[in-house]
Amino acid sequence: MSDHVQVVTTTDSEQAAAELARGVVEARLGACVQVVPIRSFYVWEGAAQDDAEWQLQIKTSAARLPELVEHLMANHGYDVPEIIATPIVGGNPAYLAWVDDQTRP
């Protein structure tokens, strides 16, 4: 497993995204959270949906991933939130060192 991951989740409002992002950074579970408006198409409870959402892209250390997932599950407004972690297999060594520093408990 990689030493670093990017975690993606989505919310239904810019305010909810900001609150989640702020909580993640303040808890040192993510070094950086970027919030991007997106449009999502999916089926939920048997009906096709077309919704505006806000995607959070969270950079963190792999060691903090279990706590980050737990934090997102506890503070997310969705019944079944998208939480997907993708390994970061390379990048700017100075940036990745900063991610480590910012996510130390």
Side-chain angles (χ1 to χ4, degrees):
M1 173 126 175
S2 173
D3 292 337
H4 305 93
V5 295
Q6 177 172 281
V7 176
V8 173
T9 191
T10 55
T11 64
D12 62 354
S13 74
E14 187 174 11
Q15 180 179 345
E19 289 172 9
L20 267 180
R22 192 171 294 108
V24 164
V25 171
E26 289 175 353
R28 299 183 69 90
L29 296 172
C32 174
V33 182
Q34 295 162 321
V35 176
V36 181
I38 61 171
R39 185 173 174 187
S40 295
F41 296 84
Y42 57 97
V43 174
W44 183 250
E45 296 180 344
Q49 307 294 319
D50 174 358
D51 293 320
E53 290 189 298
W54 284 258
Q55 183 181 74
L56 288 77
Q57 301 169 5
I58 306 163
K59 284 62 158 196
T60 192
S61 62
R64 297 293 274 171
L65 181 59
E67 290 172 277
L68 173 59
V69 170
E70 186 177 312
H71 177 87
L72 292 173
M73 295 290 292
N75 293 283
H76 206 290
Y78 286 3
D79 293 338
V80 183
E82 170 190 18
I83 302 173
I84 297 174
T86 304
I88 298 172
V89 297
N92 178 350
Y95 179 82
L96 297 175
W98 175 79
V99 169
D100 288 335
D101 184 57
Q102 295 304 306
T103 57
R104 282 194 183 97

